[in-house]
Amino acid sequence: MPNGRSLARPGVRSSVTGVDRRFRTLVVAHAVSAYGTYLNLIALSLFSYEVTGSALGVGAVMAVRLLSGVTAGLTAGAVTARLTRRTLMVATDLAQTLAMVVLALWASRTPLWVLLGAVVVLGAGNTFFNVALRSAVPVMVGQDDRARANGVLVTARSVATVLGFASAAPVISLGGFGVAFGVNAASFAVSAAAVLMLRPRTDTDGDTDRDGDAVSDPGAAEGGGEGSSPGRGGRLRRRVAGLAGPLLGLIALRGLDALASASHNVALPLAAHAAEPSDPAVFMARFWAAWAVGTLLAHQVLKRRSHGTSWGERAFAVGTCAMSLCFVAAFTGPPAPALIAAAVAAGFADGWTEIVYTSRLQAAPDRQRGRLFGLSATAEQSGFALGTIAAAAALEALPALAVVGVFHGAAACGALVLLLLTVRRRDARSAEDRSDRSSTGGEDHSSTRGEDRSSAGEDRSSTGGDKGEDTHGTSTGASRLPGP
């Protein structure tokens, strides 16, 4: 019965109407920040070569940035536990704004130590912000709408990726590195201002969710129902104890997927020069635009499905296999229409896996999300860094198709292993459920049947002739009526 207490959160709309306008405004501001980040990836790479004067120096600067992101991922869980997520998001945006302003002002005479300090801030700040944002989504929109919200985030970031890469060359050629860094600084400032003005709710109340996420965590709600039955308490504890295994498997596959993704990112410029030597930029722009269309389609498809409570390891593993196959197909040298179709399919699978993966981790209790997303960021950035180095070295001796095929083949194999383990675990759980039902149901039915037979016997002995009527009454009502 209603108790007069509303579980609705401020700024949250029902799952029927979708995520609220305030969250969408925050996503737009985050997309602006992402646009500046992807523009800056190209600008910073070229600027690093100008400062260091060698390809080795560029690699060292990028390695410092990735290493700072990996280190931040290891500490993100503890940091989000001590600070509110909103505070962390604003602080990291402001720190990155300051770092880019420094680079913009010193663009013509930046010393190496200033450049290294800036990339450390950028690497760590990006990781901290993403961990805080992704772990706060269920609090901002509610658990039922988290899949839709993740789809909106993935769509916005995909569009920002394409626009950032496409506009990097004209921005740098027209305004130089100072303008590019200034645009990135302004994008971080927009994101920080949006969080400050909108003041989204990013952390749960300590008396409810922090002690087990009883309000927003579907697993906690289900656990409460099972825990009320003493016969299932042991099975519930076993399931809770085994929760880390599937999540760690997901995170490990995510890291392997990042390693595979590094191969096609490194090999795509080579494929562009081979396919269209006169204008490789057109090839890359067409490929990434088609990929972005695929991610948009993934969001449109997934938001029409259920709220994501059944999505998990199987959906993520299948999506990873499909994504790997599509990226490999794109490097087989197909004609332009087939290449665009492969890029759209790869983008669809990429968007699918991102939404499903993030939604699955967000289903964990609130007190665990920061650590899970921090560990995920560490796995993703470590895999991408290792994949970038290994793929670049392999491309010196092997064709692009072979390198991409090997790397994505490893990701597909990892997905198949996770899928197999998931199916076996599901079968074992189903067998355990059937065993529990048969053991508890057998005792209950046997005792009920015994009472019914006894009651029927008494009725038959007392009435004598009207057996059919008494037997019918006993079989339907003996368990509900008081005894003689």
Side-chain angles (χ1 to χ4, degrees):
M1 296 178 61
N3 56 8
R5 180 182 177 184
S6 174
L7 296 181
R9 300 168 182 266
V12 175
R13 302 176 67 181
S14 67
S15 59
V16 176
T17 57
V19 296
D20 70 307
R21 187 174 302 173
R22 183 167 60 171
F23 178 78
R24 291 181 182 274
T25 304
L26 183 65
V27 170
V28 171
H30 177 58
V32 173
S33 173
Y35 162 78
T37 298
Y38 287 109
L39 184 153
N40 187 50
L41 283 177
I42 296 178
L44 196 62
S45 298
L46 298 174
F47 183 69
S48 299
Y49 183 78
E50 187 175 287
V51 172
T52 61
S54 66
L56 180 61
V58 175
V61 172
M62 295 299 104
V64 169
R65 180 171 182 168
L66 289 172
L67 182 60
S68 63
V70 171
T71 305
L74 294 174
T75 60
V79 174
T80 54
R82 293 180 177 273
L83 301 174
T84 64
R85 295 177 179 126
R86 185 170 61 216
T87 300
L88 185 60
M89 291 163 66
V90 173
T92 53
D93 270 338
L94 293 178
Q96 293 179 90
T97 301
L98 179 61
M100 296 315 300
V101 166
V102 170
L103 286 184
L105 294 176
W106 287 8
S108 59
R109 57 187 188 280
T110 302
L112 180 59
W113 66 270
V114 172
L115 175 61
L116 293 177
V119 298
V120 167
V121 174
L122 292 174
N126 182 65
T127 298
F128 280 131
F129 184 94
N130 285 328
V131 169
L133 176 62
R134 294 164 87 184
S135 59
V137 164
V139 185
M140 288 191 282
V141 303
Q143 281 283 1
D144 288 342
D145 284 328
R146 72 184 191 275
R148 286 189 179 90
N150 292 326
V152 173
L153 282 169
V154 169
T155 299
R157 192 178 67 244
S158 300
V159 174
T161 301
V162 176
L163 294 178
F165 285 155
S167 62
V171 169
I172 295 172
S173 61
L174 293 176
F177 293 114
V179 172
F181 295 152
V183 169
N184 195 16
S187 69
F188 287 128
V190 168
S191 178
V195 177
L196 285 172
M197 293 174 60
L198 297 173
R199 298 185 61 80
R201 184 186 181 193
T202 59
D203 296 86
T204 53
D205 298 331
D207 59 342
T208 55
D209 297 70
R210 286 290 185 184
D211 291 336
D213 207 21
V215 173
S216 63
D217 180 29
E222 295 174 3
E226 290 187 1
S228 60
S229 175
R232 296 189 178 184
R235 180 158 53 90
L236 175 62
R237 287 192 295 271
R238 289 195 297 273
R239 287 185 178 180
V240 172
L243 182 63
L247 291 180
L248 290 179
L250 277 176
I251 293 174
L253 180 57
R254 186 68 172 178
L256 188 58
D257 176 35
L259 184 143
S261 297
S263 67
H264 66 251
N265 278 277
V266 175
L268 191 60
L270 302 180
H273 280 281
E276 298 186 24
S278 60
D279 201 352
V282 174
F283 178 94
M284 294 190 65
R286 185 168 58 239
F287 181 90
W288 287 119
W291 172 86
V293 170
T295 61
L296 294 173
L297 294 176
H299 170 51
Q300 295 300 317
V301 170
L302 287 178
K303 76 177 184 180
R304 288 172 171 80
R305 293 173 59 87
S306 64
H307 295 156
T309 55
S310 62
W311 299 342
E313 296 84 356
R314 282 180 292 169
F316 179 64
V318 171
T320 301
C321 285
M323 179 175 58
S324 295
L325 292 176
C326 293
F327 273 118
V328 172
F331 281 84
T332 57
L339 175 66
I340 293 176
V344 171
F348 182 90
D350 208 350
W352 172 285
T353 54
E354 173 71 17
I355 296 171
V356 170
Y357 174 79
T358 306
S359 301
R360 177 63 185 91
L361 262 61
Q362 287 168 349
D366 183 75
R367 64 182 182 274
Q368 296 179 4
R369 285 188 212 126
R371 293 182 175 85
L372 284 174
F373 280 108
L375 182 60
S376 175
T378 299
E380 292 175 43
Q381 297 199 44
S382 300
F384 193 82
L386 180 61
T388 300
I389 297 172
L395 286 170
E396 295 293 330
L398 298 174
L401 176 60
V403 174
V404 174
V406 169
F407 278 67
H408 276 287
C413 291
L416 292 176
V417 170
L418 179 62
L419 184 62
L420 178 61
L421 294 177
T422 302
V423 172
R424 296 179 66 177
R425 186 175 64 251
R426 181 195 62 183
D427 294 341
R429 184 177 299 174
S430 299
E432 184 181 2
D433 290 340
R434 288 194 299 269
S435 176
D436 289 344
R437 284 196 298 268
S438 63
S439 61
T440 57
E443 296 175 358
D444 295 340
H445 294 325
S446 62
S447 60
T448 303
R449 285 195 300 268
E451 293 175 359
D452 290 344
R453 285 195 297 268
S454 175
S455 300
E458 293 176 0
D459 291 340
R460 283 194 299 270
S461 63
S462 60
T463 58
D466 298 329
K467 293 180 181 179
E469 181 181 353
D470 289 338
T471 303
H472 176 73
T474 303
S475 63
T476 58
S479 60
R480 296 191 299 272
L481 297 177

